[in-house]
Amino acid sequence: MSLSSAIAIAQSAFSTTAQQTATVSKNVANASNADYSRRMAMLGTTPNGAQIVSIYRAQNEALFKQNLASISQSSAQSSLLSGLEILKSALGGNDYEAAPSTYLSAFRNSLQTFASTPGNSTLAATVVADATDLANSISNTAAAVQDLRLDTDKQIAEEVANLNALLAQFETANNAVKSATAAGADTTAVLDERDKLLKQISELVGISTVTRANNDTVIYTSGGTVLFETLARQVTFTPTTAFDATVTGNAIFVDGVPLAAGSGADTTAQGKLASLVQLRDDIAPTFQSQLDEMARGLVELFQEGGQPGLFTWTGGTVPVAGTIEPGIAASLTVNPLAKANPFLLRDGGFNAVVSNTTGASGYTDLLDGYIAAMDTDMAFDAATELDGTSSIMEFAAASIGWFEQIRSAASTADENKAALLARTEEAFGKVTGVSIDEELSLLLDLEQSYKASAKLISTVDAMMAALLEAVR
């Protein structure tokens, strides 16, 4: 080997080591960045020694797609549980002390106490007060359900706008990847950016991807609708300004195709948007229908002469038995006549139908009838997803049981999907993430390579000096 060749090899080694060191340093600097994929300098052999051929970006397509699916599932479940927790808080929290079933039990107990001493004016007033609390509980819960639907609708609008913005950013990133790939330039940074956007998109909607020539990526929703192909498809949604039991929210459209809602407590939804639609259009309306049936049942049970008695509503009639009267819960109230004269509950007279014609203070026929009726089976609409034949006491308890069952199952599913996401992120991170230990070990190897190159230069320098001395 000539001295000039030795110098060229040493120079090549210095250049290669410098590039490798820069790559390792970049890895170490991004060790905590979840959206960064580890870089590796790929070496090739040339007449002048090893040289950097390319910078390789660690990746695993199968694990990445699994990670996207886990993100979608976890995001959907978390959003559903969050809405259920808001509704649980409106019902009083863990003990459901503000739930209609709680006030219904208190009302029935006070009604029994009053029946045992029907001449006591204080007890009569207490029954009316408890009836008022019951009516307020049902109407307030109905308002909380509709507030939840409205807030969910607003959140959908915000997330749709966010999704459209992310798709626009993805279009820019995808074009950058295609251009860099076609030109043979370094694509590592733009690929990181594009993958980061895919993760953010998958939080909002379930997706699958297909990669074409020049690293061009096409995005489909989990339902098969094109979300991005060369250009971003438009996601549209029209918010609803107000909700009540008769209002249905608008659908989300992806390129003109409606986005399907999730179903079940362990929701089938992929992405936040599908679970928000499920909460707004399935779970909340079903619970609303149960509240409406409770209110209708009370009006029916305490009617007098075919007209509302103790309990009334804006419709002013006794609704058809066993059929949901949409929105009745929101306007349920206690008859003002009962507040003015609590003994009307004992004697009758809300609609000029007086049962206690003698005004006897010990009269209990009406009170006993009401108490018995509250424990007697009656018809409820099957659309409530509860038993169609039960007492109003059982129906109210079953409603809270239905809600808690869904919330509890959703909580368990959320924990499971969060754990699955953590595992997929860990597996993906082991392949594409940065290990500080590995990078520091590689730096030590590079240090030895640098020392060897420096030793070679030192040796060549000594030989050149000896040669010049000999010439003199």
Side-chain angles (χ1 to χ4, degrees):
M1 177 190 300
S2 66
L3 293 180
S4 59
S5 296
I7 292 173
I9 290 173
Q11 289 175 330
S12 176
F14 278 132
S15 176
T16 300
T17 302
Q19 292 182 62
Q20 287 178 296
T21 302
T23 300
V24 171
S25 298
K26 190 171 186 178
N27 287 340
V28 172
N30 286 277
S32 59
N33 184 355
D35 299 314
Y36 177 86
S37 290
R38 180 174 178 250
R39 286 18 169 192
M40 291 163 283
M42 307 303 293
L43 300 177
T45 303
T46 68
N48 291 326
Q51 288 185 343
I52 301 296
V53 176
S54 64
I55 302 298
Y56 173 76
R57 175 178 175 268
Q59 55 189 340
N60 185 304
E61 194 67 22
L63 282 176
F64 182 63
K65 288 185 177 182
Q66 180 60 48
N67 187 225
L68 292 180
S70 296
I71 290 172
S72 293
Q73 293 166 5
S74 181
S75 176
Q77 193 68 52
S78 177
S79 296
L80 181 65
L81 179 60
S82 178
L84 293 173
E85 291 292 350
I86 291 173
L87 194 52
K88 179 182 178 180
S89 178
L91 291 168
N94 291 333
D95 296 328
Y96 291 107
E97 59 268 20
S101 58
T102 302
Y103 286 98
L104 183 62
S105 295
F107 168 66
R108 183 180 180 279
N109 291 338
S110 65
L111 194 62
Q112 287 181 316
T113 303
F114 181 39
S116 67
T117 314
N120 191 311
S121 60
T122 301
L123 293 178
T126 299
V127 173
V128 173
D130 286 345
T132 302
D133 289 341
L134 172 59
N136 288 340
S137 172
I138 292 176
S139 60
N140 290 341
T141 302
V145 170
Q146 298 309 320
D147 286 344
L148 175 63
R149 295 183 72 204
L150 180 60
D151 291 342
T152 301
D153 194 77
K154 291 178 180 178
Q155 190 176 358
I156 290 173
E158 293 172 358
E159 298 299 358
V160 166
N162 187 23
L163 178 56
N164 282 320
L166 288 171
L167 289 172
Q169 295 174 43
F170 184 85
E171 182 177 332
T172 301
N174 191 60
N175 288 337
V177 169
K178 290 193 296 182
S179 299
T181 302
D186 181 15
T187 60
T188 54
V190 286
L191 284 172
D192 276 354
E193 178 62 23
R194 191 174 70 175
D195 285 355
K196 175 183 177 181
L197 290 169
L198 282 173
K199 291 179 183 178
Q200 293 174 336
I201 291 170
S202 68
E203 290 183 11
L204 302 178
V205 61
I207 61 174
S208 61
T209 61
V210 175
T211 302
R212 306 189 296 194
N214 288 331
N215 270 330
D216 181 24
T217 291
V218 179
I219 308 176
Y220 300 91
T221 66
S222 54
T225 305
V226 175
L227 192 60
F228 177 90
E229 185 177 13
T230 307
L231 298 174
R233 298 298 194 265
Q234 192 67 22
V235 183
T236 57
F237 173 72
T238 303
T240 301
T241 55
F243 277 90
D244 60 33
T246 64
V247 174
T248 300
N250 295 313
I252 303 169
F253 292 94
V254 179
D255 201 22
V257 179
L259 182 70
S263 62
D266 183 359
T267 182
T268 59
Q270 295 190 40
K272 183 182 295 186
L273 288 174
S275 67
L276 290 175
V277 173
Q278 176 187 356
L279 182 65
R280 184 197 67 182
D281 295 346
D282 180 13
I283 295 177
T286 299
F287 190 55
Q288 173 68 54
S289 71
Q290 294 169 6
L291 294 171
D292 285 335
E293 278 293 79
M294 274 185 248
R296 183 197 59 76
L298 288 171
V299 173
E300 178 182 336
L301 289 177
F302 288 85
Q303 66 178 297
E304 181 184 279
Q307 296 296 318
L310 176 62
F311 294 99
T312 187
W313 63 296
T314 54
T317 61
V318 177
V320 178
T323 304
I324 295 173
E325 179 67 42
I328 185 174
S331 63
L332 182 69
T333 186
V334 168
N335 196 319
L337 295 176
K339 297 178 181 179
N341 180 10
F343 281 114
L344 288 177
L345 185 59
R346 180 197 68 185
D347 302 335
F350 289 106
N351 300 298
V353 181
V354 179
S355 297
N356 184 16
T357 55
T358 63
S361 62
Y363 184 79
T364 63
D365 288 359
L366 278 181
L367 296 176
D368 291 338
Y370 292 144
I371 294 168
M374 292 180 73
D375 291 319
T376 302
D377 285 350
M378 59 187 298
F380 291 100
D381 199 315
T384 61
E385 298 186 12
L386 301 178
D387 192 347
T389 303
S390 66
S391 71
I392 194 168
M393 302 297 296
E394 293 170 336
F395 186 86
S399 175
I400 290 302
W402 173 88
F403 175 79
E404 175 55 24
Q405 183 179 22
I406 289 179
R407 191 211 62 80
S408 179
S411 179
T412 300
D414 181 60
E415 293 174 359
N416 293 337
K417 290 177 181 178
L420 177 60
L421 175 59
R423 287 195 295 270
T424 58
E425 287 180 336
E426 181 182 4
F428 185 61
K430 287 181 178 179
V431 175
T432 64
V434 176
S435 169
I436 292 294
D437 291 340
E438 289 181 11
E439 299 303 318
L440 292 179
S441 177
L442 182 55
L443 276 178
L444 292 175
D445 292 340
L446 293 174
E447 181 183 6
Q448 296 305 315
S449 176
Y450 179 85
K451 287 181 179 179
S453 299
K455 181 66 175 176
L456 178 57
I457 289 292
S458 177
T459 302
V460 170
D461 180 61
M463 293 175 69
M464 291 289 287
L467 180 60
L468 291 174
E469 185 65 29
V471 171
R472 291 178 187 172

